[in-house]
Amino acid sequence: MITIRRFLIIIVAFLSFFLGGCWNYRGINELETVIGLAIDEGTKKNSYLLTYENVDLSEAAGPLGIVKSKFIRSEGTTIFDAIRKAEKRSGNKLYFNQMQVVIVSDKIAKEVGIRTIIEWFMKDGETRENLHFVISPGNARDLFLSKPISTRFVSTEIGNIIENDNKISSFTKNIHLYEIFNVLSSEGMSLLLPAFMTVQNDKEKTIESSGSAVFKNSKMIGRISSDDTQSALFVTDEVRGGLLTADLNKKGRDDVSLEIDTSKTKLKYTFDGKQVSFKIDVETFVYLSEIPENIDLMNPENQKRVEAAAGDRLKKRIEKAIKTVQTDFDSDIFGFGLTIRQKNNHLWYQLNKKWGDYFKNIKVQVNCKIKIKNTGISK
């Protein structure tokens, strides 16, 4: 008869085969840690050229403990083919768990689209779902030639800009891999991805957010400016910070700056059988940062003037952005269709087949209410 003690010994011995360590453990010297990846058109027809920004630890053990970038390139007929060929070149397995960003060239985004790229990374077991994707004019790999300002890696710098921007300026859409996949897989909203470019900073080139790339289905069809991106983020209720400006004295130069504390947008729609209309209500609480010296904000009327001027400026900018996208791109980056689908799926089923025609003729009514929380002035 098996005693309890012997039974427990058998169980522990059995489990030790499965709990003794990681089955696919690799030492750090056996891995190439990828921080970022640039995807361009290959030198051969219908191929991809991949450039990897990897962590170089060759001097980390030295007296200065230097950790820097190193770059590897590979080419293949598919993304996976190119990655496997890179491992032949590096001698080690590429490790994607720490990857911050994937940069896709305009050419790939326009001619090939990004669905295949997104799906590969979604299926990869190492890739984090909060990975960022950005679009670059010209060659995507050229961004790696710039010098980051606040980090050692270009990819980390891009990731930090995207993550922090909606608290600082709200000019860059913060969207992750799993959210991109959801947009591409659902109806009623088109994809908007952040765009980055190189700019001159003193004597060196660095990176900068430069508006957004507009997609229809999975292919890029154009770009919008940083200002129009911010307006789109107001419509989709994604603004968490930034500045609003206004020309209070109407002299052709902005003389008011308001720092955004919180913002909330509500969308309401109507359909009369022919025309879709949307009412967009934006309520934004702000702190006063700059004001003309001749304006006394202890006077409530002057405070109302500031709020009205900023609200009117924001209203016009949102209306302009919507009109630009309707006219130039016919791509619902605002999620108007998604709003209808979520609230009335039966109506969406009716409109969906001709949503492109409905979208470009949507009538919008924009109301922007700005409220100053603190003038920053005391007497």
Side-chain angles (χ1 to χ4, degrees), residues 248-263:
L248 191 62
N249 289 324
K250 301 188 183 302
K251 293 183 178 180
R253 180 175 181 176
D254 288 348
D255 50 21
V256 173
S257 293
L258 302 171
E259 184 177 8
I260 298 171
D261 178 43
T262 59
S263 185

Side-chain angles (χ1 to χ4, degrees), residues 11 55 154 167 173 185 220 272 362:
I11 293 297
V55 179
V154 172
K167 300 174 185 176
K173 186 176 180 68
S185 304
M220 176 182 168
D272 62 6
I362 287 176

Side-chain angles (χ1 to χ4, degrees), residues 35-51:
I35 298 296
L37 174 66
I39 302 178
D40 290 298
E41 186 179 44
T43 57
K44 299 176 182 179
K45 186 177 180 181
N46 298 325
S47 65
Y48 294 99
L49 177 62
L50 272 54
T51 305

